Amino acid sequence: MAADQQQDRRAKGEEKPLTSLWERLERPAPAPRSTLTPERIATVAVGVADAEGLDAVTMRRLATELGVAPMAAYRYVSGKDELLELMVDFVYGELTPAESGAGWREVMRTLALRTRDLLLDHPWMTQASVLALTPNQLAVPERVLTALDDLGLDADRRMAVFRTVTAYAKGAAEAEVGLLREMRKRGWTSGHDTRTGLAPQMTWLMGTGRYPAFHRYALDATRKDDPQWQFETGLDCVLDGIAARMGI
């Protein structure tokens, strides 16, 4: 009964159907001439988040930074959730694809490397929980799936390739961002500082003799402070596995 009443109200024009942020921005309502735009809102909000973290981004802070009335931004976004959608979409616009004509492996490698760069440049993105589709987000799988079209893979396998590479890239980059965040909290600026700070725990744990393989790693590894090498080596393992599994 409630559903029927809701349909009746919509039919009579008493209740408007829900529309997404992106549909509204495609056809904004007429408004007085203004310098405020979705791009300007996103640019300012992303700048605040980059400098101070996601918690610093509020609608009131945004209005202050934009130099507008507190309610002005609400013409474009209904609140913090939609503002976050706008920010995430803006950042994904920076994720440029591989050169035209690149092979599948170069397409996927470029996607992973640039995803890592994106998260290092905007570390708040690792904490942004947005269950929404945005134009620039959706453009990423669109480009990748198109690049995989000629490999003879069915739709599910093409998506599996995309999701496997992005899962590796995001997971590895989020771990790196998390480590950097913890280092800053403790005033550590290098791998040496981190190892020095953790030395008491490490010395005791290695002294128990329970972790011989890790102990050998700690003594022998020469790439501990080379996250780029670590990321690319893991990525090549992922791509090698995809090539072997999919026969491409």
Side-chain angles (χ1 to χ4, degrees):
M1 180 67 71
D4 292 339
Q5 290 175 343
Q6 187 178 48
Q7 288 178 347
D8 289 343
R9 287 198 301 272
R10 286 180 178 174
K12 295 175 183 178
E14 297 173 1
E15 181 178 333
K16 295 182 180 179
L18 293 175
T19 58
S20 75
L21 167 66
W22 309 105
E23 184 179 350
R24 296 201 313 273
L25 293 182
E26 282 284 326
R27 46 181 180 81
R33 192 177 181 85
S34 172
T35 59
L36 198 59
T37 64
E39 183 176 7
R40 185 170 172 230
I41 291 170
T43 300
V44 170
V46 167
V48 172
D50 288 348
E52 302 176 38
L54 198 55
D55 289 343
V57 181
T58 64
M59 296 301 286
R60 184 174 295 278
R61 172 69 182 277
L62 181 63
T64 299
E65 295 291 331
L66 288 166
V68 298
M71 297 300 293
Y74 284 98
R75 175 176 176 256
Y76 297 95
V77 293
S78 62
K80 180 72 176 285
D81 288 346
E82 284 195 346
L83 175 60
L84 188 55
E85 278 189 58
L86 197 65
M87 293 165 64
V88 168
D89 186 71
F90 181 83
V91 169
Y92 266 97
E94 300 174 5
L95 193 59
T96 55
E99 296 296 323
S100 178
W104 78 267
R105 187 171 181 124
E106 185 58 27
V107 168
M108 304 313 299
R109 202 168 199 280
T110 300
L111 170 64
L113 291 171
R114 292 180 182 171
T115 295
R116 173 178 179 262
D117 290 341
L118 194 77
L119 295 179
L120 290 174
D121 288 342
H122 306 286
W124 56 270
M125 285 278 287
T126 65
Q127 299 172 304
S129 178
V130 180
L131 185 59
L133 292 176
T134 80
N136 285 327
Q137 271 185 307
L138 201 56
V140 178
E142 176 67 22
R143 292 192 298 256
V144 172
L145 294 174
T146 299
L148 299 176
D149 268 346
D150 298 329
L151 297 179
L153 303 177
D154 62 31
D156 292 316
R157 285 175 173 79
R158 290 198 301 274
M159 182 57 77
V161 171
F162 169 72
R163 286 179 172 162
T164 298
V165 172
T166 53
Y168 168 76
K170 289 179 179 178
E174 285 175 10
E176 189 176 347
V177 168
L179 175 60
L180 292 170
R181 186 180 292 122
E182 289 302 313
M183 288 171 63
R184 280 194 295 272
K185 284 181 184 177
R186 304 185 191 203
W188 300 339
T189 60
S190 66
H192 174 74
D193 288 349
T194 304
R195 288 187 291 277
T196 299
L198 297 176
Q201 298 97 310
M202 183 66 76
T203 299
W204 185 87
L205 288 167
M206 294 303 102
T208 66
R210 299 170 192 162
Y211 314 100
F214 191 89
H215 195 189
R216 287 195 300 275
Y217 161 77
L219 294 174
D220 298 342
T222 60
R223 300 277 194 170
K224 296 172 187 172
D225 298 329
D226 192 348
Q228 182 79 29
W229 179 89
Q230 295 168 15
F231 183 89
E232 292 192 38
T233 300
L235 175 58
D236 287 336
C237 291
V238 171
L239 295 176
D240 288 346
I242 289 172
R245 175 70 179 179
M246 300 295 184
I248 55 179

